[in-house]
Amino acid sequence: RKEVEQDPGPFNVPEGATVAFNCTYSNSASQSFFWYRQDCRKEPKLLMSVYSSGNEDGRFTAQLNRASQYISLLIRDSKLSDSATYLCVVNERNQGGKLIFGQGTELSVKP
Amino acid sequence: NAGVTQTPKFQVLKTGQSMTLQCAQDMNHNSMYWYRQDPGMGLRLIYYSASEGTTDKGEVPNGYNVSRLNKREFSLRLESAAPSQTSVYFCASSGQEGVTEAFFGQGTRLTVV
C-alpha cells in the first residue's frame, strides 16, 4: 500500500463547478498535512496547510479526518486558472520529517 | 530572493557516467530533500536530511548517494547513471522537520541515454 494515495483523475470540470479531491495516508503517526499545486511539471508550490479543525482560504477548503486518515480539498467556483495537478503531502515527523507526496490529481477546468 | 537553487537545469548523460546535482538554500532551513518525478507519477522521495550532518533514505534510494555538505547545501550523486534514472529531479527545503512549508528548486531534467 502506498503511504499517500490520491485519485489520479483527470478531473474535467466546467468553469464555476465545485470539485473535491480526496487523499488517504497510511502512517497514523503523521503530524502535518498539506496541499500543493504543480503546473506543467514545474516545481510544486504550497496551496494550503491542513489543520485538524479544517481551514478555508477563499474558494479553497481543506479538511482532515485523523480517525479515517483522510484529507480532502474542495474547490468552489472553479476558474480556468485552477487547472493544475494537486498534490497531497504528509509529514512523517516521527521519521525525522519525511515529506511524502501522493501521485497527484490532475484538474482541467474548461470554459 | 534566491530560495532554493538547483544546478544544472538540464543534463544528458551516457549510461555509466556519473554526475552530481547541486542544491543550495538561503532560508536557513534545517530539512532538505531530493525527489524524482516520472511521467504520471507524483514526487518520490530519494533521500532527505533532517539537519546538517544527517541523511536518511527515502522511498527510492538505490543508485543514488547524497551529501549534506553544510546547512545550506545538499547534493545528489549518480555514480553510474542508468536509463531508468531519466527523470525530473527536485530539491526542496523546509524548516522544523517539514512542519512548515517546503520550498522547491526549479528542477533538473536529466536524460540518460
Side-chain angles (χ1 to χ4, degrees):
Chain A
R1 183 185 171 188
K2 287 186 179 179
E3 293 179 75
V4 180
E5 291 200 63
Q6 294 180 249
D7 181 346
F11 284 53
N12 296 305
V13 303
E15 271 187 293
T18 295
V19 60
F21 303 139
N22 302 318
C23 172
T24 57
Y25 60 95
S26 60
N27 185 348
S28 59
S30 299
Q31 295 191 352
S32 304
F33 310 90
F34 309 90
W35 284 101
Y36 278 72
R37 170 186 170 138
Q38 186 178 29
D39 294 277
C40 297
R41 288 171 63 82
K42 293 184 178 178
E43 71 272 25
K45 294 185 178 178
L46 180 69
L47 178 66
M48 59 196 303
S49 301
V50 186
Y51 302 118
S52 297
S53 54
N55 48 299
E56 188 174 307
D57 183 2
R59 299 182 292 109
F60 300 86
T61 300
Q63 297 279 351
L64 168 64
N65 184 323
R66 286 189 184 271
S68 301
Q69 294 177 207
Y70 171 91
I71 306 158
S72 65
L73 176 69
L74 184 76
I75 305 176
R76 292 182 299 278
D77 189 21
S78 299
K79 311 291 185 192
L80 297 176
S81 57
D82 293 334
S83 297
T85 297
Y86 291 83
L87 300 160
C88 174
V89 183
V90 172
N91 171 288
E92 298 186 348
R93 196 166 181 191
N94 64 328
Q95 295 190 51
K98 276 173 68 173
L99 279 177
I100 303 296
F101 282 71
Q103 71 267 46
T105 299
E106 185 182 345
L107 172 66
S108 179
V109 181
K110 306 292 187 185
Chain B
N1 297 332
V4 179
T5 303
Q6 268 183 256
T7 56
K9 288 190 169 51
F10 300 93
Q11 184 72 49
V12 178
L13 287 179
K14 293 183 179 179
T15 298
Q17 286 185 315
S18 62
M19 80 162 294
T20 300
L21 280 64
Q22 308 285 355
C23 177
Q25 52 92 8
D26 61 3
M27 295 172 283
N28 201 34
H29 285 164
N30 287 322
S31 300
M32 297 186 74
Y33 309 84
W34 275 106
Y35 294 89
R36 62 177 287 174
Q37 186 173 34
D38 302 300
M41 301 187 73
L43 278 75
R44 291 185 292 169
L45 184 63
I46 305 172
Y47 272 94
Y48 67 106
S49 171
S51 61
E52 183 179 353
T54 68
T55 61
D56 287 285
K57 294 179 180 179
E59 303 165 87
V60 288
N62 292 344
Y64 305 95
N65 286 303
V66 290
S67 295
R68 184 74 183 265
L69 304 169
N70 47 54
K71 191 170 185 179
R72 289 188 64 248
E73 298 172 288
F74 188 39
S75 62
L76 178 71
R77 182 159 179 84
L78 287 71
E79 290 291 352
S80 179
S84 61
Q85 294 179 304
T86 293
S87 190
V88 179
Y89 291 85
F90 289 103
C91 175
S93 72
S94 73
Q96 299 179 32
E97 294 184 344
V99 172
T100 54
E101 177 181 0
F103 292 85
F104 284 80
Q106 291 184 309
T108 297
R109 280 148 182 80
L110 175 67
T111 302
V112 183
V113 298

